[in-house]
Amino acid sequence: MEPKVDLSKQIKEAAPKSYWSIVLKRLRRNYGALIGGGILLFFIVISVFAPILAPYPIDIMQMESRLQGPSSAHWLGTDEFGRDILSRIMYGGRVSLMMGLVAVSIAGTVGVILGVISGYYRKIDMYIMQLMDILLAFPSLLLAIAIIAVLGVGLTNAMIAVAIAVIPSYVRVVRGTVLSIREKEYIEAVKALGVKDFKIIVKHITPNFLSPVIVLSTLQFGTSILAAASLSFLGLGAQPPTPEWGAMAYVGKSFLLNAWWMSLFPGLAIMLVVLGFNLLGDGLRDALDPRLK
């Protein structure tokens, strides 16, 4: 008697896999991306659930416990006002991650729009790219400081400044992709059929630059958090007593000799989050590359 053949299983295995299922499979095989994702998941969880997980309130001063080193009572020590460093790092993750999210969202939205316009409508391409070249002529941090000098010191202005400094990266990536796609034969054919430009951009051009933009956003997320923390460290971003990692490191530098933990642990949090985004971004770049099998 011949064994039964499971046709449904064979058909399922023979069916072509979707692009995103292949990407997810590649991503699961990339240990660097998994480590980066694990680091980010850890910080996201402790930040979101900070009111539940934080062992101490962040705004109550306990002068009798000031400048205590790491111990069983305070795992990461206390600051100059006796506030628990671990609790402040948990709450600070909300501010730092939100700064990165807002900066990347603004930069990504504006950069993609300008990149598409620049690449598709060549008449105004020169003007947009000249503006981007001017922005790229300045180091990102220096440009952000100059923008804050105009807008004023504060958390919101710091996010706007970081976003403006990041916009040129998106414009150049999207513009390059649009320039190569708009000359393809199928785009010319769609134009000949009378399809409007907006529909061509959304349906035929956007999917081609979506992958590079996702990778760039992941990498720029870490860069934006680092830039925002740098601005706070310089006293231009989040202001005390806001528990932001860069601002905490700035306050801790005055006590570096006798209370090293005040700057070390917020600095480690910044380093780990940026590392997590870089590892995840590298993994996404490899997984989304259609040339890899």
Side-chain angles (χ1 to χ4, degrees):
M1 184 177 180
E2 296 183 358
K4 294 182 178 180
V5 179
D6 191 347
L7 295 178
S8 61
K9 184 177 180 180
Q10 289 185 355
I11 293 173
K12 186 177 180 180
E13 291 177 352
K17 296 182 179 180
S18 67
Y19 172 72
W20 292 107
S21 65
I22 296 174
V23 169
L24 186 60
K25 185 177 180 180
R26 291 176 181 170
L27 202 59
R28 286 200 301 263
R29 293 178 177 177
N30 191 309
Y31 293 107
L34 294 178
I35 293 172
I39 293 173
L40 295 178
L41 181 62
F42 170 76
F43 278 98
I44 291 173
V45 169
I46 66 172
S47 299
V48 171
F49 297 101
I52 301 173
L53 300 176
Y56 296 94
I58 62 170
D59 54 355
I60 297 179
M61 301 181 185
Q62 299 177 350
M63 301 306 293
E64 67 278 4
S65 302
R66 65 189 301 269
L67 298 179
Q68 288 187 2
S71 62
S72 57
H74 300 278
W75 288 2
L76 303 185
T78 61
D79 63 8
E80 75 277 21
F81 296 114
R83 297 172 297 190
D84 184 65
I85 298 294
L86 176 60
S87 300
R88 291 181 62 79
I89 287 178
M90 288 182 175
Y91 277 92
R94 291 181 159 193
V95 181
S96 296
L97 292 173
M98 182 57 66
M99 291 178 73
L101 177 62
V102 172
V104 169
S105 299
I106 295 174
T109 303
V110 176
V112 166
I113 293 173
L114 291 178
V116 170
I117 294 174
S118 179
Y120 195 82
Y121 300 102
R122 301 305 306 278
K123 293 182 179 180
I124 57 177
D125 177 39
M126 180 181 66
Y127 303 104
I128 294 177
M129 293 313 299
Q130 283 181 347
L131 177 60
M132 294 303 108
D133 290 339
I134 293 173
L135 295 179
L136 287 171
F138 297 91
S140 299
L141 185 58
L142 182 61
L143 177 61
I145 292 173
I147 295 170
I148 288 180
V150 176
L151 299 178
V153 175
L155 186 62
T156 302
N157 292 340
M159 290 187 287
I160 295 173
V162 172
I164 294 175
V166 173
I167 285 175
S169 301
Y170 285 92
V171 175
R172 294 177 73 88
V173 168
V174 175
R175 173 182 176 271
T177 304
V178 174
L179 283 175
S180 62
I181 297 299
R182 70 186 297 273
E183 304 298 334
K184 299 291 184 181
E185 290 80 2
Y186 70 92
I187 298 295
E188 296 295 334
V190 172
K191 286 182 180 180
L193 293 174
V195 180
K196 294 182 178 180
D197 290 344
F198 180 78
K199 189 173 182 180
I200 294 174
I201 291 171
V202 172
K203 188 174 181 180
H204 300 284
I205 294 181
T206 299
N208 289 281
F209 65 73
L210 192 59
S211 296
V213 167
I214 291 174
V215 175
L216 179 62
S217 297
T218 306
L219 296 173
Q220 289 293 347
F221 211 120
T223 303
S224 299
I225 290 177
L226 185 60
S230 300
L231 292 174
S232 297
F233 183 84
L234 296 173
L236 302 176
Q239 302 297 308
T242 303
E244 196 272 336
W245 294 338
M248 291 173 64
Y250 169 76
V251 173
K253 73 179 179 63
S254 301
F255 304 89
L256 201 57
L257 294 179
N258 56 354
W260 49 266
W261 52 88
M262 288 182 60
S263 292
L264 175 63
F265 293 120
L268 283 176
I270 296 171
M271 184 201 74
L272 288 173
V273 168
V274 174
L275 175 64
F277 276 111
N278 288 341
L279 290 174
L280 182 59
D282 288 339
L284 281 172
R285 180 184 58 198
D286 294 339
L288 291 169
D289 192 342
R291 294 168 296 180
L292 297 177
K293 295 184 178 181

